[in-house]
Amino acid sequence: MVEYNAPIRDYEFLFNEMFDVIPIVQKLGYDFDNDFLSMLTEGWGEHAKEVWLPINQLGDKKGLDYDDGKIKMPEEFKSAYSESIEAGWLSTSCKQEHGGMGVPIFFSAVTWAEIGTSTNMAMSVLPALSIGVYEVLVEHGSKELIDYFATNLATGKWAGTMCLTEPHAGTDLGIITTKAIPQDDGSYRITGTKIFITYGEHDMTENIIHLVLAKTPGAPEGTKGISLFLVPKFLPSDWVSGGVKDLSENLMSDDNGVTCSGSEEKMGIHASPTCVMNFDESIGWRVGDLHNGMPLMFQMMNRERLATGMMGIGLAEIAYQNSLAWAKERRQGRDLKGPQEPNESADNILVHPDVRRMLLEAKVNTEGSRALAAWTGILLDQMHSEDIEEAEMAEALVALFTPIVKAHFTDLGCESVNTCMQVMGGAGYCTEYGVEQFYRDVRISKIWEGTNGIQALDLAGRKITHNMGKNLRYLMWPLTEFIENNRTIPEMEEFNKPLHQGVRGLQQLTLLMIAEGQANPHFLAAGATDYCRYFGNVLLGYMWAKMAKISLEKSGDPFYDAKIASARYFFKRIFPETAGLAARIQSGYKNLMDYPVEMM
Amino acid sequence: MNIAVLLKQVPDTTAKISVSGGRVDENSVSKWSMSPYDEYALEAALKLKEAGGGNVVAISAGPSRCEKLLRDAAAVGADDLVHIMNDDINNLDSTQLQKLLAAAISKSNSSIVLCGKQAADTNSGSTGPGVAEILGASCMTMVSEVTKDGEDYLATRPSSSGHEKVAVSAPCVFAFDKGVTEMRRPNVRGIMMAKKKEIEIWSAADLDVDLGNSNVTINSHSPPPEKPPGQKFEGADSVSTVVAKLRDEANVI
Ligand SMILES: Cc1cc2nc3c(=O)[nH]c(=O)nc-3n(C[C@H](O)[C@H](O)[C@H](O)COP(=O)(O)OP(=O)(O)OC[C@H]3O[C@@H](n4cnc5c(N)ncnc54)[C@H](O)[C@@H]3O)c2cc1C
């Protein structure tokens, strides 16, 4: 039996005490308050626990049925999905005019995403994709497209997908071959094959709206020639011309040349279809300007990459809760200092330092990541501020944090689920306890939405120098001010001092990466992953020092005392890995590139 | 006529409680929730409304923190929200509190009242009967279900031989035990509506209630005795020991 309780207290702490989100979003024009936020958090936590969690193992075992181009989802998934739509839980951040709830973005990007992936990752990606498509459409689509598609996407009546990957083009999207041929009526005919398309085909919704990357004839080479198209699976039965305005409300029934020719067998998320999609002269409409597809996709990526990072947190959280519950019951061996419970046949395994190490590593990394996620989620809202300075700051920080949130959270998530499985010994490996499923499910998060290696390159190669280093300044100024302000507080020293050293190290490594990287791009690329992890550690260090600061003022209460103990664990046992990371970065690229490739 | 539900906000059963000066230290309570039996009462009230109409009026007495509780009730479907504002609710005795609640019920134009059989914090179990006494209404205790039967109501409650269904007419107070249905989950639309809902805030003066002086003084408090440690038996060999203990020590078989 899998256990789960949404981390509601932690979210209250983060959003209310640490980031004081209510005045921030009120200033942005939202009619939002504390009670409303906690009702949403509790309500969603309860819904997901009761509607999504009970079918998570079933989805894993049953998977989906692929038969002759059609995918049948488990019936239980269909009814749970309808129940969630009915209750309004899939469209919290969409605009009210489209049937959404108009709640600030941070709720759906962070709280919703974490709880959704914890309780049922395979299910959660469907609404996450639909909302991603909705957002691109609403921000960049023509009024006609918005009028026709937005409401059904927002309410979850129709689902969305993102079709980027092709058989020969995964990371390197510049070489895609899917073609879009313009028609006289303003529409396009799309032809090509896309692979690995999540929820490309299914029977959860009556229509599926694909966002497809394709190239128009004569478009520039590489990513600069890519445009973005919206291609529905079905068209209305009475559809005659290419104009969207001529689309009617009639039931979609005419095939649009979109077919699914296969569904992958895979390691995890068995109830999330991964499809080969063929577009055969399918009718579509351009979203945004010609040849501007990649920037638009990247915009969507900020949101999707945070969502992917939340998968790391979500699965680490549920794995932790279950391995902790199991550990509390398990007795093996004796406390090395002498039996704790001599009347029992053995002591509880929490007496063993190594078991505590594993559990705390998962707990502390997950809570630290959640704090940074909360901040990033609020920044996503602030990006829309009318106050230009606030919007610029938010945009710069989101750009900087996105690769770290994606790569570091999913690395930590995979490591945490792995350690939680280890806590449980053989039981962790067995299906009954659920943790082995989380291990398989979480693994994809390091691969999709741009592999973690690519995230690291994005950070080291683009984000730190981007904007003449302005991104970095928006972080470094408040961070160094925080360190300065805490220098004279004795209780903060154990957190502030290592953080200070870590920040100084980060500054030196950044200079090294830029200087050496300019001379030799292999240097930068060889150090990128370690640099990204170093940066991630510094950001989590900043979060833990801040959490410790708040908690020190409230010590005596078990919640805050645990936060202080967690901060201590972080700085003593996790943060020191930065020294090793720095050494690896400094070791350069030769140990990699001089290795005789024929001997690999 | 309306259906009143009395809701009390209590420290959440998962919250850590600390006691100072013989009382629960309110400031240290990290989470407040609806008292569990009240949840059953609220669900039953919503069902009655769905079957027979009338507004569900959620009434809570307490300090400003109770607003959250009332909004939670609205999120699942309570129509009207009444907050009897009192910052010092723990220093009122049961009679004083019942006077306030009874006055609010009358003012809300409700002919039947649903509440929990006891609150999860104080457990005194006097509110339902006490309010009924003041209102001159009948009172059904330990109720698990109420249905409408023409002009009357049918309440299910335990009897010596199992369960009995008792017909009763308004005005009546139903004090709920564990009900047959758990309280429904709120949906987002409900939460959005709850956020916008007006809350009537009434003071003792608004209700024309003279609280008078408390007739109750508490002489002493003592914590419950520590639970003796449990005993654990493993393996088939221990069956006879367990049976003997259950028979001789626990007197359960
Ligand atoms: C279950 C699942 C669901 C998916 N869902 C979708 C979806 O809905 N839509 C969609 O479009 N795609 C989807 N994908 C595809 C996914 O995004 C790609 O698999 C991913 O981007 C990696 O591309 P690739 O598999 O072609 O790997 P490759 O690009 O071949 O990469 C192989 C390795 O080389 C590295 N590498 C590649 N290029 C570079 C470089 N320039 N510098 C350094 N290292 C490099 C990579 O980091 C990786 O380690 C899904 C994949 C899976 C498995």
Side-chain angles (χ1 to χ4, degrees), chain B residues 41-96:
Chain B
L42 174 55
E43 178 60 34
L46 295 169
K47 284 230 170 68
L48 278 180
K49 168 185 128 171
E50 282 157 6
N55 274 2
V56 170
V57 186
I59 302 175
S60 186
S64 54
R65 59 172 156 76
C66 294
E67 181 181 334
K68 165 78 169 38
L69 167 90
L70 288 167
R71 296 217 181 275
D72 284 339
V76 291
D79 304 285
D80 300 321
L81 311 178
V82 172
H83 187 171
I84 305 172
M85 187 64 84
N86 190 308
D87 287 337
D88 200 20
I89 199 81
N90 289 327
N91 283 326
L92 296 186
D93 68 22
S94 303
T95 321
Q96 290 172 311

Side-chain angles (χ1 to χ4, degrees), chain A residues 162 164-165 170-171 196-198 274 444 447-448 451 454 457:
Chain A
M162 281 165 63
L164 289 67
T165 310
T171 301
F196 295 155
I197 304 309
T198 299
T274 306
I444 185 62
I447 298 172
W448 64 15
T451 61
I454 295 300
L457 286 173

Side-chain angles (χ1 to χ4, degrees), chain A residues 155 217 433 436 482 530 570:
Chain A
T155 54
Y433 300 92
E436 66 85 29
F482 175 84
D530 293 320
F570 180 82

Side-chain angles (χ1 to χ4, degrees), chain A residues 11 33 62 96 102 120 132 138 210 258 275 279 287 304 343-344 428 465 495 505 511 539 550 578:
Chain A
Y11 273 121
D33 58 38
K62 233 180 179 178
Q96 287 179 344
N120 198 323
V138 168
H210 304 280
V258 183
C275 306
F279 296 88
V287 178
E304 298 295 330
N343 292 337
E344 301 287 347
T465 47
F495 314 120
L511 285 177
L539 288 177
I550 298 168
T578 46

